[in-house]
Every structure is written in structure tokens, then in C-alpha cells.
Amino acid sequence: MDLQLTGKTALVTGASRGIGLEITRALAAEGVRVAAGARTVTPELAALPGVTAITADLATPAGAAALVDQAAAALGEFDVLVNNVGGVVPASMRAAGFLDIDDESWQRTFELNLFGTVRVTRGALPSLLRRRGVIINISSIGARAAFPPVDYGTAKAALTNLSKALAEEFGGRGVRALTVSPGPTRTRNWSDPGGYAGDLARAEGADLDRFLAEVPARMGITTGRLTEPAETAALVTFLASPLAGNLNGADYLADGGVLKTV
Ligand SMILES: NC(=O)c1ccc[n+]([C@@H]2O[C@H](COP(=O)([O-])OP(=O)(O)OC[C@H]3O[C@@H](n4cnc5c(N)ncnc54)[C@H](OP(=O)(O)O)[C@@H]3O)[C@@H](O)[C@H]2O)c1
């Protein structure tokens, strides 16, 4: 299938590893010129042909502005914006529950998962409007269900709402906005002993490999396995394509069946 993406341009945030790296790889493989933002440039990102890696801290207003400026300088205009940056901040990862999450953690979580995306989107929208482009926000199943930590799920719920609002406000002017909501995905958050799963495994006194083997059953992943980052990237790439040109405002789960509600 020709996704008709050759020669288009994309800005991807949180692109140095995990899902963002795979989205960058998949778009570049379709002939898209990609500007890829993160605080660090990993060897895997630097090795991708046709990709301009840009360092910026998206948890700050200045970082978001600098990323959009440098990406515009590299690409000219934006056809695709993938707001992938996000995650659970360390203090919230360790929190026992709502009462254990202080103002600073809430603030950091919202900077990382919502405000960075608000700022990058505001900066890129004039160009996306000129190009009748597409915005894809990477949210989480935590936006739709009460998985801890609560600050993360709340920020992702706001992000999902943002996509819908953008779809409504700009859809009539040719800009589509969509959400992709991953469930447990095999990135360092799960596979690295220092990540989210490693912390949970340690708290239970369990070995990480054994803990991971039990995750599908414990989380109700119907397929029996975690999602691979490249699988989510393939979905994002299709949604970015003109072939998906009348898909707007929808939220696509990429969770192996964790969420049971329709
Ligand atoms: N993995 C999952 O199971 C899962 C499930 C549901 C939703 N998600 C969502 O999917 C997205 C990607 O998750 P992932 O697991 O691939 O994450 P990841 O492996 O932790 O990668 C996060 C990316 O964001 C960058 N980043 C982090 N903080 C940043 C900052 N302040 N400024 C700029 N870049 C920053 C990181 O690079 P630097 O550290 O170099 O900056 C990295 O490239 C996130 O929005 C996450 O919430 C993931």
C-alpha cells in the first residue's frame, strides 16, 4: 500500500527512544522528512537517514518554542505533528496514591504530558493550517480508566480532550487531529530494571522477567503480550497518511485489549 507520504514533513516529539523513535523510523521509511525532538540524541536516532534531531526540553516554554523554530528552519512547513512526549514523572512512579502526590509532581506531570504539547501545537498550527496537515497526540489507556498514578491519567485525559477540541476547531479548515492511546508497550519503562515495571517488581520482591511474564494476565491484556513500539508506530503512520484523510477526532486504542468497555 502506498501511504502517499513521500516528500511530506513531520515533527515528532519524544523521539530519541521508545514509541517516538519507532514513529520517527516508520515515517522516515515512508520518505517523510522528519524533525525529531528530545532532550538527548541517542545513537539510534542519530543513525536514521532523512531525520533532523533537535535537542529541547519540552517541559519548559522556551524548549517548546525552540523546538518548533528549529524544526521549521529544517523542514520549512509541517504536514504532520506527532506529540509523543510524555510519561510518569519519577516521584509519581513511587507514590503510594493520591495523597502521596504533591503539587510539584502534578505540575511536572502536566508540563510533560500536556503543556509541552499545547505549546508545540500552538507553534506548529499556522504551518499545519497552510498545509492542511494532521496532529496525532499519543495519550494512554490511563486517560480512559483509573490506573495509577492519578496525575498521569488526569494529564492524559486532558490531552485526549485537547485532540478532540482541535479536531472540532480546525477540522473544517483541513487540519485533522487524532489520539492514539497505547496500553503497556515494550519500551524501557517496562524492560529496563530502572523503569516503571522494575520499580513495581522490586516492591513485590519479584524478578523483573517473572513480573513481566505475569503482566498480561494481571492487566487483562487479551492478546497475552505487551504491544511493540513498532506496532503503535505503524498505526500512527497510517493515520498520518492522506489515505486516512477523513479520520478526525477519534481516539485509537493500541492496548492488546486491556480496556474492556466499548
Ligand atoms: N510505554 C508504555 O507502556 C506507554 C503506555 C501508554 C502511553 N505511553 C505514552 O507513549 C509516549 C511514549 O512513551 P515511551 O514509553 O516510548 O516513553 P520513553 O521510552 O520514556 O521515551 C520518552 C521520550 O520522550 C523524551 N522526553 C522525555 N522527557 C522529555 C522532555 N522534558 N523534553 C523533551 N523530550 C523528553 C525522551 O527523551 P529524552 O529523555 O532524551 O528527553 C524519549 O525520547 C508517552 O507519551 C507515554 O506517556 C506509553
Side-chain angles (χ1 to χ4, degrees):
M1 186 186 291
D2 176 8
L3 293 179
Q4 300 170 15
L5 284 167
T6 306
K8 294 198 179 288
T9 62
L11 170 55
V12 180
T13 68
S16 65
R17 57 172 183 261
I19 296 170
L21 176 67
E22 293 310 316
I23 292 169
T24 302
R25 190 195 307 281
L27 289 171
E30 292 298 320
V32 177
R33 288 191 298 126
V34 185
R39 289 168 304 178
T40 53
V41 179
T42 55
E44 293 85 354
L45 177 59
L48 293 179
V51 173
T52 304
I54 299 167
T55 52
D57 183 352
L58 291 178
T60 68
L67 176 64
V68 173
D69 285 353
Q70 289 179 49
L75 301 177
E77 301 273 15
F78 304 123
D79 296 303
V80 179
L81 169 61
V82 183
N83 290 304
N84 166 76
V85 72
V88 178
V89 302
S92 301
M93 210 175 277
R94 293 189 298 270
F98 171 75
L99 292 175
D100 211 19
I101 303 174
D102 62 13
D103 274 2
E104 191 186 344
S105 296
W106 277 93
Q107 192 66 44
R108 282 175 188 237
T109 297
F110 271 71
E111 289 289 351
L112 183 63
N113 289 281
L114 183 67
F115 299 149
T117 288
V118 166
R119 293 172 183 132
V120 169
T121 303
R122 193 166 47 215
L125 247 169
S127 176
L128 289 162
L129 280 163
R130 284 192 293 274
R131 300 288 284 210
R132 301 177 74 80
V134 55
I135 301 162
I136 302 168
N137 291 329
I138 308 301
S139 185
S140 168
I141 56 170
R144 296 208 205 176
F147 295 110
V150 60
D151 55 338
Y152 175 72
T154 309
K156 288 298 197 181
L159 178 65
T160 301
N161 190 289
L162 174 69
S163 304
K164 194 71 172 172
L166 292 170
E168 275 304 295
E169 184 171 347
F170 297 104
R173 294 159 68 187
V175 172
R176 300 185 291 126
L178 297 157
T179 300
V180 169
S181 292
T185 308
R186 193 183 296 281
T187 66
R188 65 166 190 141
N189 297 305
W190 292 90
S191 54
D192 184 332
Y196 176 68
D199 281 356
L200 291 177
R202 261 189 304 283
E204 291 185 9
D207 166 65
L208 178 58
D209 286 340
R210 208 189 73 214
F211 179 85
L212 283 178
E214 290 172 1
V215 163
R218 288 168 62 154
M219 290 198 68
I221 309 177
T222 315
T223 56
R225 66 174 177 85
L226 275 69
T227 301
E228 297 298 328
E231 293 176 307
T232 306
L235 170 61
V236 169
T237 304
F238 173 72
L239 294 176
S241 159
L243 299 189
N246 209 30
L247 302 181
N248 190 32
D251 176 9
Y252 297 89
L253 292 173
D255 72 342
V258 173
L259 293 188
K260 309 302 180 196
T261 51
V262 291

